[in-house]
Amino acid sequence: GQQLNQSPQSMFIQEGEDVSMNCTSSSIFNTWLWYKQDPGEGPVLLIALYKAGELTSNGRLTAQFGITRKDSFLNISASIPSDVGIYFCAGHSPNTGNQFYFGTGTSLTVIP
Amino acid sequence: DVKVTQSSRYLVKRTGEKVFLECVQDMDHENMFWYRQDPGLGLRLIYFSYDVKMKEKGDIPEGYSVSREKKERFSLILESASTNQTSMYLCASSLYGNRPNEQFFGPGTRLTVL
């Protein structure tokens, strides 16, 4: 299957700090999604990106669809304890029908 | 609100048992998916379905089968469970459309095979 590299694998930050994570693929994607998974729950969609260069915000979260179409970035500003969880990127390639490929996840811990 | 429910949150089975994991969605979505989630590997697609009685293999279908007899229900079957199938299983659904649509996930079933 398609390989998505997500980094960093884990982060430990102080409350109030900003967070950045990214995802890269070996091929071009036409859609990027960012999900958050709380402990013991299924992933929930945060942001969807459909166009190269697109920058979209959802509250304190901002995500960007890379110009090369092979990467995407998620930033969280002024982190709070409830930001704790695993963040996944997911990408869709024109050649894969309705299938999305998921990154390996970034585990975020926020220290109060 | 889209709701995707899974029959069990936690399941413990013995090696060799036949295991059924059930998933139901209430938003009339055409597409349904089964993933397994393992630490360091992210979500890997097992099987998906675009319509009733239709199924397609994902990246890791070996040891699994699926059934979609009704639009709202997608079942994952482990014919003979093995210890390497211990994992978190996530079901998802999405609308069919010209653009790939977001997938809505259930809460997951954590399966342990002893």
Side-chain angles (χ1 to χ4, degrees), chain A residues 36-58:
Chain A
K36 182 195 177 199
Q37 184 178 27
D38 290 327
E41 301 294 330
V44 174
L45 184 71
L46 299 173
I47 292 178
L49 302 161
Y50 297 104
K51 193 174 169 184
E54 183 179 353
L55 187 73
T56 298
S57 293
N58 177 6

Side-chain angles (χ1 to χ4, degrees), chain A residues 1 9 30-31 33 35 37 40-43 45 50 88 92 97-104, chain B residues 9 31 33 35 37 40-43 45 48 50 59 90 96 99-103 105-107:
Chain A
Q9 191 171 8
N30 59 3
T31 300
L33 305 178
Y35 284 87
Q37 184 178 27
E41 301 294 330
L45 184 71
Y50 297 104
F88 289 100
H92 177 269
N98 275 294
Q99 181 173 348
F100 277 91
Y101 291 96
F102 284 79
T104 51
Chain B
R9 295 299 295 269
N31 302 325
F33 307 82
Y35 295 89
Q37 180 179 16
L41 297 177
L43 277 67
L45 184 64
F48 58 102
Y50 292 146
D59 294 322
L90 290 164
Y96 177 81
R99 180 166 86 172
N101 290 304
E102 67 165 293
Q103 295 180 14
F105 284 85

